[in-house]
Structures are given as structure tokens and as C-alpha cells.
Amino acid sequence: MVKQTAGRDALGAFAPKFAELNDDVLFGEVWSREDQLSLKLRSMITITVLVSRGMIDSSFQYHLATARQNGVTKNEMAEMLTHIAFYAGWSNAWAAFRMAVEVYQDDTGADGGLFGLGEPNDTYAKYFAGQSYLNPLTDPNETVFIANVTFEPGCRNNWHIHKAEKGGGQLLLCTNGRGWYQEWGKEAQELHPGDVVTIPAGVKHWHGAAKDSWFSHLAVEVPGEQSASEWLEPVDAEAYNAL
């Protein structure tokens, strides 16, 4: 659930019912229906509507910052506002761009870190919550398979197990952003560039980005006999959001 207190902070004493509807219904219920629309898509829709109505004020700046947290990249925001300009008016787009430049001023864009972003990870998308990207770095037919995996903010993969009759498992070499790794029955472990995670075969686990940060790691497939991955249930959204 998206937790919001802006209504109560600003209007709790003056208009408690409006504050309740803003914090508990609009954000607490509507924005939190991630099974219907992702937070990223909701942010993109909200930005589009606000620009179309010319509502380029402090609330728009808040929604720009929220869009960035929800995974809308600088390049995506620039493309959105360019597209919107043709339908919502050039002056509205100019005003929105000025504010977007401030919000994204320290953002170099999602590039996958040192090893590059790669392409959308469409083949395994059904095993991920949110958008991920895959950039294979080696040919598994010739050597150990290594790929750069990038997660947008809030993206994580399902619980899964790397199986092997002998050897196997995986290494994660963290290169960019901030993320999480968790083994079944243990507390989640926060990940930063330079961290290394050793995942033995047979261990149920998940990994992915923090809610407010892109995250990239190299995934190194440890050689093994009869190796395979078993994909399981998604990570509980409430537990993830509590991290």
C-alpha cells in the first residue's frame, strides 16, 4: 500500500474528510492497486493528465519526483513530454520540461551501469514484477554464462531455485544502484555496488531493486550437471514494500 500523509499534514485540522480521502482512498487504495496498473504506469498517466490541464505547480513537481521513484527514466520522461506537447499545448509542455529538468538534474538515465542496459527481459518477464533488462556478456556454448541484469525501481524476480545434480548455483556481482537479496526463511539483505552474493544450488531465493533505486548485477551461472531453474511464487508485495 502507498502510504501518504500529505493530506493530514496540510489539511488535517481544516478539512479532515478531504485529508482522509486524499491519503487513504486516492493513495491508500487507488494508487495501491498494483495488480491492476503498476505504479510506473499510474505515474505516467498522472503526469499526462496534469500537463494536459496545465496544472504545473508544486503538486506536479511532487508527481514528477514520484514518477522518477516509480521507474520513469529521464529519457522516458523527455519522450512523454515531447509527445504530450502535440496534444496538450506547447506552452504546457515547456512549463513541464522546466520542472522535469530540475527533478532529473542528477539523473544520467538508466544505462545498466558499467556493462550496459541491454534489451527488455521479455523472455522471463512472467517471472518478474516490474521491468527488467538483460545484457548477455558471454556465450554459454563457449564458456561460463555471464549476463548483466538491470531492474527498474521496485522490480524483483519471483522466488526461485537453481537446481543441479552436482555443482550449479549462481553468483551475483553487484555493480550499480541499490537492491535486495533474500533466502527463504532469512531476513532480506540490502545490496550495493561491490557486494557479492553466493547462491548455492537448491536454495530458494529472490533478488531485485529497491523501491526507489535502479539496480544492476552480473549474474554468473556456476557450472553444474543437469542444471535448471525452478520458478516459484511472486514475492509478497506487502513484505517487499516493508523493506
Side-chain angles (χ1 to χ4, degrees):
M1 173 179 286
V2 177
K3 295 188 181 299
Q4 176 65 269
T5 62
R8 288 183 172 86
D9 293 343
L11 297 171
F14 185 80
K17 188 60 180 180
F18 179 88
E20 176 191 342
L21 294 172
N22 182 84
D23 296 351
D24 299 344
V25 179
L26 174 58
F27 287 95
E29 295 182 18
V30 177
W31 271 84
S32 295
R33 286 159 52 87
E34 293 183 62
D35 58 326
Q36 303 297 320
L37 287 177
S38 69
L39 289 176
K40 180 178 180 179
L41 185 54
R42 290 181 186 276
S43 281
M44 296 174 80
I45 293 170
T46 302
I47 293 295
T48 301
V49 172
L50 292 177
V51 176
S52 299
R53 294 176 59 84
M55 299 174 65
I56 316 300
D57 55 11
S58 59
S59 65
F60 180 72
Q61 187 170 29
Y62 164 82
H63 281 291
L64 277 173
T66 300
R68 179 178 172 179
Q69 287 184 351
N70 289 340
V72 180
T73 68
K74 181 175 70 172
N75 291 339
E76 288 173 332
M77 181 60 68
E79 187 63 24
M80 276 179 56
L81 295 179
T82 300
H83 186 89
I84 292 169
F86 287 90
Y87 295 91
W90 216 251
S91 59
N92 284 354
W94 261 112
F97 267 121
R98 291 191 182 97
M99 199 169 287
V101 167
E102 294 181 12
V103 171
Y104 284 86
Q105 61 182 333
D106 61 343
D107 189 335
T108 59
D111 59 6
L114 183 63
F115 294 94
L117 186 65
E119 300 297 328
N121 192 10
D122 294 336
T123 301
Y124 292 91
K126 62 184 177 181
Y127 304 124
F128 284 70
Q131 181 65 59
S132 66
Y133 300 84
L134 184 67
N135 187 20
L137 303 177
T138 61
D139 185 345
N141 295 316
E142 297 179 356
T143 186
V144 173
F145 182 56
I146 303 175
N148 190 45
V149 185
T150 298
F151 304 78
E152 70 175 8
C155 177
R156 64 275 186 187
N157 51 33
N158 290 3
W159 290 97
H160 58 286
I161 300 172
H162 301 295
K163 294 188 170 183
E165 291 187 2
K166 183 178 181 181
Q170 190 177 61
L171 299 175
L172 305 181
L173 310 179
C174 305
T175 61
N176 195 57
R178 184 167 60 88
W180 293 98
Y181 169 78
Q182 186 175 20
E183 295 183 0
W184 188 259
K186 296 183 179 181
E187 295 293 322
Q189 171 187 344
E190 190 169 1
L191 301 177
H192 302 90
D195 288 341
V196 178
V197 180
T198 301
I199 309 171
V203 173
K204 184 177 178 179
H205 66 284
W206 69 269
H207 40 102
K211 296 189 293 290
D212 56 354
S213 176
W214 287 80
F215 177 60
S216 295
H217 64 57
L218 297 184
V220 183
E221 300 300 324
V222 178
E225 298 178 5
Q226 301 299 315
S227 297
S229 294
E230 179 183 5
W231 291 97
L232 304 167
E233 72 274 16
V235 176
D236 180 75
E238 184 175 354
Y240 172 80
N241 289 326
L243 294 176

